[in-house]
Amino acid sequence: DGRIPETPCSECDGAGMVAEQRKVAVDIPPGIADGQRIRLKGRGGAGENGGAPGDLYVIVHVRAHKVFGRKGDNLTLTAPVTFQEAALGAEIEVPTLNGAPVKLRLSPGTPNGRTLRVRGKGVSKRDGNKGDLLVTVDVLVPSALNDEARAALNSYAEAVGSANPRAKLFAAG
């Protein structure tokens, strides 16, 4: 303020403020996204010349989950299924974030990559509603077959015929 102190404080060197660290408890609301900030009004640094303290901004970093991904308010999950479950149809169980599994019905002929929606099993929103759980089907192909399984697949191939599934790729040219 234009005055020079006669005997400056040894801690603040006449600045009128001392830097110090402190712990602050922060309530993290449900459904917060990575990179969002939370404003704590009046919890920041001290104001100059006895002014009001500023605001403290906390930037939230959400750690990745081992099983679930996130797309907005929706949770994502990849569920491995066997070829026979996808081809014949099945009822499978998948986990949810709260721990209680849900059952999904796969229709016969479910293709690899199909995404199924479980309403209300996603991330909590500020308005109290929840996003959805999006489950993507991942059809597993066996890496090794025993003789019996190989014979069964050969019988299947003979039963359905030998139409080339890539034929229309060449017909478009």
Side-chain angles (χ1 to χ4, degrees):
D1 65 358
R3 294 182 290 166
I4 300 173
E6 292 178 21
T7 54
C9 170
S10 61
E11 284 189 56
C12 71
D13 199 29
M17 292 183 273
V18 177
E20 62 180 37
Q21 290 185 1
R22 61 186 165 151
K23 289 186 179 185
V24 177
V26 180
D27 289 327
I28 306 295
I32 195 160
D34 188 54
Q36 278 189 301
R37 19 179 242 178
I38 298 173
R39 176 180 168 214
L40 302 175
K41 189 173 172 87
R43 302 295 305 264
E48 291 185 15
N49 295 323
D55 298 337
L56 173 63
Y57 288 92
V58 178
I59 298 173
V60 177
H61 296 285
V62 179
R63 195 174 340 154
H65 195 276
K66 293 178 184 176
V67 175
F68 298 101
R70 186 166 172 185
K71 190 182 279 186
D73 293 325
N74 297 326
L75 290 176
T76 60
L77 173 71
T78 300
V81 299
T82 64
F83 171 75
Q84 55 271 30
E85 288 173 325
L88 301 174
E91 188 171 275
I92 63 170
E93 274 192 348
V94 295
T96 60
L97 193 59
N98 69 2
V102 294
K103 291 184 180 185
L104 293 175
R105 184 171 307 278
L106 297 179
S107 299
T110 298
N112 186 52
R114 164 85 34 98
T115 299
L116 306 169
R117 180 181 303 268
V118 182
R119 298 211 182 272
K121 294 295 182 181
V123 176
S124 296
K125 301 178 193 179
R126 288 184 182 233
D127 64 4
N129 293 325
K130 285 189 170 196
D132 299 331
L133 173 61
L134 305 175
V135 181
T136 302
V137 172
D138 181 22
V139 179
L140 300 177
V141 178
S143 58
L145 297 172
N146 61 26
D147 292 339
E148 187 178 347
R150 186 176 310 283
L153 278 178
N154 284 330
S155 294
Y156 167 76
E158 288 174 18
V160 297
S162 61
N164 183 351
R166 295 165 297 284
K168 59 183 165 183
L169 296 176
F170 298 100

